[in-house]
């Protein structure tokens, strides 16, 4: 039975359902100490007095580190992948705090309880500095930069222009101008950040157990910043309790903890608590786009200009700073639509907030903006939003390109749109909506489309793109089991299952005899991203497939030599090599592998008894569109008595190519949609104008629950692919397109009130403000 | 997020609890009941205590007595009230209000006395006591006293209990037969405190006229509030949807709620008006007459 | 600070430990008893990841002090499997691909065990309400609701309640 395409039960589930997973906080090492941080209570200020002596003297305290101490023990933190102006930063602040939660001192003690007690004994005083809390302050050249070694709080600017913008606007019947904004939100995995650093003074080896998406990325950065030889630096990652982009970052705490372990010669654990997490682990989004759209009365979109500002908080993200994502926004903003002239100016600004981090589809502002704009165009012209989309969609023809360059041959956006509207029964809904309005009930429908280069068409990724593709290692064990070592670092995606499905099919072994290994930098091939960016489906899978094929070739060559038969006449079924159609000559893989391992000298001439393979997948053979994408549609009812929004239906039509495990794909989509719903209706990271952080608990930062997230109907289009790896990324799409879908639906519901939805966050009070039921400032 | 040090005293009797509260009065002592609000405050180090007097083992506080109304011991869990046949019979409004508290796991530990003594202005039970003119029994070293709901709540998270007094029981009058009731609450998510909660009871005479009405709010002020505006406007009127809307509006405009992350004062007043109308509608249906 | 002795039965095993009064039940279970299946997600009683059964009732372990469970009986996720055989709930959750990262899992599992043991046969809406005290960030909840519904059907029968979910489960499992 072929495993690929089947809803195979997950390998991971037995351990997680029985409480036998291995998360970083589960680790208890002998002599382990515990760290806690003193964090800044103010947004911006100079540390004028810091006395840690009482804390150092407290019983159970082993060390207290200040910024000055850490500066001696660490090089400046610098990512090899940074873009834009980068200040000199150390693990703890050296003189200035720049956001609420900034790292002032670190205590290492016998227990976390004792460490927190000692944090409370540190005597610290600050002199307030003026805060930079919004775009205007950050863009104001008279406001001093947050970092003395930077010229400005504008840390990065870029422009992308394609086609003839002036001609497009000159030809337009109308120009629609609007500024759309996306509020600050956060990834908020249920497992917070954390690591255990274990320095062995005898061997000089530093082992770091970390909840990370990228063990290799973390190892590389630690080696550089801590001057730790890479042969004596190992990062281990087992189960990770969700990340959504957050744990692909490397944080200043990640340097502090290993430094302390190296200094003290003992294991040191730091597990972020939820208050720290919400305040200081990093935040996402917070962008605005001032857009101008040039259209004809018939609804043709001729031109688009956009000016993007992104608020990245104080410190640059690592390894990818916020600037990395503005380029993707500029690239994808026109989406799967025809535009003749396009320009996008981007700016990244620094403010006194927590660091910008990637969060599931970090560039999603492009979809929110584009799809909101299309609905606004439709409303302005009195056209149907579905028709405006249809008029302007690219067909996926051979010559079709995004105006920003990449080809989109074979994209299925139109089919997705048609199927979504059919499934939700769009005409019937419009009739129902009309009738409901007559009764004073306000229903709305929203739809939105996205495409994502996961992995993107070939010309976007020559030689395997900026990572040069991805490798995997496979090894046939003496008992016939297959060990697959992936460079992916899963944290909920089920790669131990999906990669095993692929390897089982490729090798011809039972699914149960494949073991997928990840998260040990001593074993895994290098991959700076680990798992993230919807890359696993293509790159992780491709690497396992080409490596397994190589190993299979080796095995078949040996068996062919032994049986004196051509390898092309052999098959491997259920772990047994046999000549096709000739019974009685079976060679179980266990026998073959045992013989080759114990007596490699018996390998037939010209064959390789070393039953391992490590191949690099560069995607050169894949000939599909390279684009994941889809259309979502939802129906809402707005309660004008309360401002509450009820989601009555949510339909997803999604094309991520061939599906390895439909249950896992559906889970990825639904999880993303839930986060998108959270962003629109429940979640917001609030600061006041002084920079005070206002959401320190789960009573303030509202994650949606099972009672708020509706059932999500999913239709798959597995667009015909190619001769290579036909799996495309699916992790981010739900979160990319859901906010646009839902805001469009709420806007549609409020259309009778002339509501103009320009902000993504629509809590009840804001819904009522938009409806004109309560006045401005109600939210 | 770990609590600072404190001493924990598990007591078996009210006398022992009151004795400790008196003895340790100068040493930051607090009563630990269900702990569902206190423990997070300790973990966040937003509150610190020298001593906790844990009353969970005081068996005399753990019973529901049904006589002249309900006398509910301070450590009776929300879950017990929610599932009690006595409560369902005597006061279904109370059972419905309690079901609105948090989630099952919270209600399995949270206590009736704890939520009343904690006096969160958005909490359901203080509003129930306010609506129905309930009362609490407290015990100090000098003996016991009864505090009427109207005299109990003294501001945000503040009651008129003396520091050494222990709240031992909550008295909730039974709903008179035929009284319609409603609990209307709007919260951002399931299980959250209501942004606004409205409680109402209505009695109708044989002609469909309102013979008695009570309306109370949580979440609109520092303490739960009755609405004299609504109650006066309702009595003697004939039930109708128009009446509910008008009364909701009039009752809401005089409220002076605070603004917070969930919305402005104006938004809360709008919610209060909406929920009042819905509560009155529902209460009138339960009173047996359709509006 | 003097240690206080706590004697407690966890998953049928008797333990005795000396703890500080301030030690939370979560830290006690995880660090002192080394039963790390119970997870810590927020330490202030909202996320539900630390849910365990205290004398049969689902409670937040982070909102209890270890000293409060002296003489009591606790069950955690590690106690469900019997002789290598998954609990029917665990089987249903696996069959429905209910979870992803696994971090919220112990809380949902223990919340659902309490529900099953009460003999509940909730409708989908009731079940979503019952599970709403547990936060999951990965799944969008549908698979969890389907898994618990399926367990309810297998253990407590349909009761006229969860049939809609059961149908959805069939779709999922097919």
């Amino acid at each position: 039975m072929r495993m690929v395409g089947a809803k195979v039960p997950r390998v991971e589930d037995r351990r997680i359902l029985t409480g036998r997973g291995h998360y970083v906080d589960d680790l208890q090492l002998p002599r382990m100490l515990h760290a806690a941080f003193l964090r800044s209570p103010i947004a911006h200020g100079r540390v004028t007095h810091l006395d840690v002596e009482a804390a150092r003297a407290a019983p159970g305290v082993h060390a207290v580190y200040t910024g000055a101490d850490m500066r001696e023990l660490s090089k400046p933190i610098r990512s090899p992948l940074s873009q834009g102006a980068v200040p000199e930063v150390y693990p703890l602040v050296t003189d200035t705090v720049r956001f609420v939660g900034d790292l002032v001192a670190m205590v290492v003690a016998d227990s976390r309880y004792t460490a927190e007690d000692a944090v409370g004994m540190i005597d610290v005083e600050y002199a307030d500095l003026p805060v930079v809390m919004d775009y205007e302050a950050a863009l104001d050249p008279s406001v001093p930069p947050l970092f003395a070694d930077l010229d400005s709080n504008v840390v990065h600017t870029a422009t992308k222009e394609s086609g003839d913008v002036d001609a497009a606007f000159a030809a337009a019947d109308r120009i629609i101008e609007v500024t759309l904004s996306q509020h600050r939100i956060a990834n908020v995995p249920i497992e917070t950040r954390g690591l255990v650093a274990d320095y062995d003074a005898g061997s000089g080896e530093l082992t770091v157990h970390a909840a990370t998406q990228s063990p290799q990325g973390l190892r590389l950065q630690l080696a550089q910043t801590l001057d730790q030889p890479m042969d004596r630096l190992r990062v281990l990652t087992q189960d990770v309790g969700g990340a959504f982009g957050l744990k692909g970052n490397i944080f200043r705490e990640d340097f502090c903890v290993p430094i302390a372990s190296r200094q003290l010669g003992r294991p040191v654990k730091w597990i972020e608590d939820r208050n720290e997490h919400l305040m200081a682990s990093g935040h996402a989004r917070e962008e605005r786009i001032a857009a101008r759209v040039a259209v004809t009365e018939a609804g043709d979109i001729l031109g688009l200009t956009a000016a993007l500002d992104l608020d990245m908080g104080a410190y640059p993200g690592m390894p990818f700073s916020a600037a990395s994502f503005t380029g993707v926004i500029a690239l994808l903003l026109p989406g799967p639509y025809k535009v003749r002239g396009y320009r996008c100016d981007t700016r990244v600004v620094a403010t006194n907030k927590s660091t910008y981090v990637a969060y599931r589809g970090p560039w999603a502002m492009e979809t929110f903006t584009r799809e909101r704009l299309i609905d606004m165009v439709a409303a302005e012209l009195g056209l149907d939003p579905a028709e405006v989309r249809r008029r302007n969609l690219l067909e996926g023809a051979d010559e079709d390109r995004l105006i920003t360059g990449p080809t989109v041959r074979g994209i299925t956006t139109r089919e997705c749109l048609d199927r979504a509207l059919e499934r939700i029964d769009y005409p019937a809904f419009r009739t129902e909506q009309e009738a409901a309005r007559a009764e004073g009930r306000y229903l709305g429908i929203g739809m939105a489309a996205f495409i994502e280069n996961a992995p993107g068409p070939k010309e976007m990724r020559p030689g395997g793109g900026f990572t040069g593709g991805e490798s995997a290692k496979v090894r046939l064990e003496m008992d016939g089991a297959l060990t697959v070592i992936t460079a992916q670092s899963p944290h909920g995606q089920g790669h131990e299952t999906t990669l095993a499905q692929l390897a089982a099919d490729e090798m011809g072994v039972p699914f149960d005899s494949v073991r997928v290994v990840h998260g040990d930098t001593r074993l895994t091939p290098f991959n700076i991203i680990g798992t993230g960016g919807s890359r696993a489906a293509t790159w992780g899978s491709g690497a396992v497939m080409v490596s397994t094929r190589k190993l299979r070739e080796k095995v078949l060559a040996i068996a062919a030599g032994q049986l004196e038969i051509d390898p092309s006449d052999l098959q491997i079924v259920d772990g047994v090599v046999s000549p096709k159609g000739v019974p009685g000559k079976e060679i179980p893989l266990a026998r073959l592998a045992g013989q080759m391992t114990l007596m490699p000298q018996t390998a037939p001439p010209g064959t390789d008894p070393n039953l391992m393979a490590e191949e690099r997948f560069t995607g050169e053979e894949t000939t599909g569109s390279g684009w994941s994408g889809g259309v979502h549609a939802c129906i809402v009812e707005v309660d004008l008595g309360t401002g509450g929004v009820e989601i009555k239906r949510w339909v997803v039509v999604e094309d991520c190519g061939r599906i390895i495990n439909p249950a896992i794909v559906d889970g990825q989509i639904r999880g993303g949609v839930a986060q998108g719903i959270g962003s629109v209706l429940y979640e917001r990271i609030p600061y006041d104008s002084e920079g005070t952080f206002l959401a320190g608990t789960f009573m303030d930062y509202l994650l949606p629950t099972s009672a708020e997230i509706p059932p999500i109907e999913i239709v798959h289009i597995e667009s015909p692919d190619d001769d290579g790896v036909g799996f495309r990324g699916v992790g981010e799409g739900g979160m990319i397109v859901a906010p646009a879908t839902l805001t469009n639906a709420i806007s549609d519901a409020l259309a009778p009130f002339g509501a103009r939805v320009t902000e993504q966050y629509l809590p009840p009070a804001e819904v009522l403000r938009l409806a004109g039921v309560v006045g401005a400032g109600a939210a | 997020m770990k609590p600072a040090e404190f001493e924990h005293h598990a007591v078996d009797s009210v006398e022992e609890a009151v004795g400790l509260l008196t003895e340790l009065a100068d040493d930051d002592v607090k009563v630990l009941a269900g702990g569902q609000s206190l423990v997070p405050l300790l973990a966040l180090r937003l509150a610190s205590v020298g001593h906790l007097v844990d009353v969970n083992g005081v068996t005399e506080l753990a019973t529901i007595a049904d006589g002249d109304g309900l006398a509910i011991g301070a450590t009776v869990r929300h879950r017990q009230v929610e599932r009690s046949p006595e409560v369902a019979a005597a006061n279904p409004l109370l059972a419905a209000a309690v079901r609105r508290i948090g989630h099952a796991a919270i209600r399995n530990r949270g206590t009736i006395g704890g939520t009343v003594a904690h006096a969160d202005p958005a909490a359901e039970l203080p509003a129930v006591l306010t609506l129905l003119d309930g009362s609490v029994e407290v015990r100090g070293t000098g003996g016991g006293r009864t505090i009427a709901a109207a005299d109990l709540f003294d501001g945000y998270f503040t009651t008129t209990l003396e520091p050494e007094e222990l709240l031992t029981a909550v008295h909730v009058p039974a709903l008179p037969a035929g009284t319609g009731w409603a609990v209307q609450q709007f919260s951002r998510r399931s299980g959250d405190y209501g942004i606004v909660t409205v409680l109402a009871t209505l009695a109708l005479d044989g002609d469909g006229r309102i013979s008695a009405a009570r309306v109370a709010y949580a979440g609109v002020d520092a303490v739960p509030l009755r609405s004299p505006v609504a109650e006066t406007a309702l009595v003697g009127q004939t039930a109708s949807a128009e009446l509910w809307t008008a009364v909701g509006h009039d009752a809401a405009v005089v409220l002076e709620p605070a603004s917070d992350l969930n919305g402005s004062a104006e938004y809360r007043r709008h919610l209060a008006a909406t929920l009042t109308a819905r509560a009155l509608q529902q209460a009138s249906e339960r009173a047996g007459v359709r509006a | 600070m003097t240690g206080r002795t706590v004697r407690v039965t966890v998953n049928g095993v008797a333990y005795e430990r000396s703890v500080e009064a301030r030690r939370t039940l979560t830290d006690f279970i995880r660090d002192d008893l080394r039963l790390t299946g119970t997870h810590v997600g927020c330490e202030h009683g909202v996320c539900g990841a630390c849910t365990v059964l205290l004398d049969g009732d689902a409670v937040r372990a982070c909102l209890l002090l270890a000293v409060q469970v002296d003489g009591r009986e606790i069950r955690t996720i590690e106690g469900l499997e019997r002789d290598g055989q998954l609990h029917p709930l665990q089987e249903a959750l696996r069959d429905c691909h209910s979870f992803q990262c696994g971090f919220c899992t112990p809380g949902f599992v223990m919340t659902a065990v309490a529900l099953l043991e009460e003999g509940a046969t909730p409708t989908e809406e009731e079940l979503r309400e019952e599970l709403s005290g547990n936060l999951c960030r990965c799944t969008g909840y549908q698979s969890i609701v389907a898994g618990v519904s399926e367990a309810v059907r297998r253990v407590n029968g349909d009761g006229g309640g969860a049939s809609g979910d059961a149908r959805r489960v069939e779709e999922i499992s097919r």
Side-chain angles (χ1 to χ4, degrees), chain B residues 185-207:
Chain B
Q185 182 176 76
F186 184 75
S187 57
R188 295 285 296 279
R189 300 174 303 175
S190 162
D192 284 348
Y193 279 106
I195 299 175
V196 172
T197 302
V198 180
L199 306 176
T201 59
L202 278 184
L204 302 173
D205 66 17
D207 304 325

Side-chain angles (χ1 to χ4, degrees), chain A residues 155-242:
Chain A
V155 300
H156 183 264
T157 62
T159 293
K160 191 179 230 5
E161 186 165 343
S162 334
D164 191 334
V165 177
D166 292 341
F169 278 79
D173 295 327
R174 285 196 213 196
I175 293 167
I176 296 164
E177 295 190 39
V178 64
T179 297
L180 295 166
S181 29
Q182 151 81 60
H183 57 296
R184 203 172 189 81
I185 53 176
N187 314 49
V188 195
I190 305 300
E191 181 202 46
T192 57
R193 292 182 292 152
L195 69 162
V196 176
D198 182 11
Y199 182 71
D200 180 343
S203 64
E205 174 153 352
L206 176 64
T207 304
V208 176
H209 306 263
T212 176
Q213 291 174 238
S214 179
Q216 294 284 13
L218 177 59
R219 174 168 172 260
L220 177 63
Q221 193 68 52
L222 288 175
Q224 291 179 349
T225 309
L226 307 188
D227 247 341
Q228 175 74 21
M230 289 192 79
D231 62 318
R232 286 166 212 187
L233 177 52
R234 181 185 190 188
V235 175
L236 288 168
T237 299
Q238 299 191 60
D239 289 311
V240 174

Side-chain angles (χ1 to χ4, degrees), chain C residues 17-156:
Chain C
R17 294 285 187 279
S18 176
V19 299
E20 276 190 319
R22 60 171 164 169
R23 194 155 189 82
T24 63
L25 179 58
T26 9
D27 289 340
F28 178 75
I29 291 172
R30 288 178 49 80
D31 297 339
D32 298 343
L33 305 188
R34 301 211 173 193
L35 291 168
T36 54
T38 300
H39 291 165
V40 179
C42 74
E43 295 182 282
H44 56 276
V46 182
C47 80
C50 68
T51 305
V52 298
L53 302 189
L54 175 64
D55 294 335
D57 292 331
V59 297
R60 311 276 206 232
C62 74
L63 298 187
L64 278 155
L65 303 172
V67 291
Q68 291 187 283
V69 301
D70 188 31
R72 312 286 290 272
E73 193 193 330
I74 287 170
R75 286 162 62 200
T76 70
I77 189 168
E78 288 97 336
L80 294 181
E81 203 181 9
R82 286 284 148 79
D83 306 323
Q85 195 64 32
L86 292 180
H87 186 283
L89 172 66
Q90 293 168 316
E91 282 181 352
L93 295 168
R94 185 193 57 194
D95 293 348
C96 294
H97 282 86
S98 291
F99 295 104
Q100 292 179 28
C101 82
F103 205 78
C104 70
T105 303
F108 274 100
V109 168
M110 298 318 287
T111 300
V113 165
L115 204 66
L116 280 179
E117 292 182 355
E118 282 167 15
T121 55
T123 63
E124 170 164 355
E125 197 184 340
E126 288 164 350
L127 184 55
R128 283 181 174 270
E129 199 63 41
E130 287 291 335
L131 297 176
S132 69
N134 291 79
L135 297 176
C136 165
R137 192 59 158 166
C138 292
T139 63
Y141 300 104
Q142 191 166 335
S143 54
I144 303 175
V145 173
V148 177
S149 293
E150 176 63 11
V152 165
R153 197 183 60 77
R154 291 180 190 175
V155 176
N156 293 345

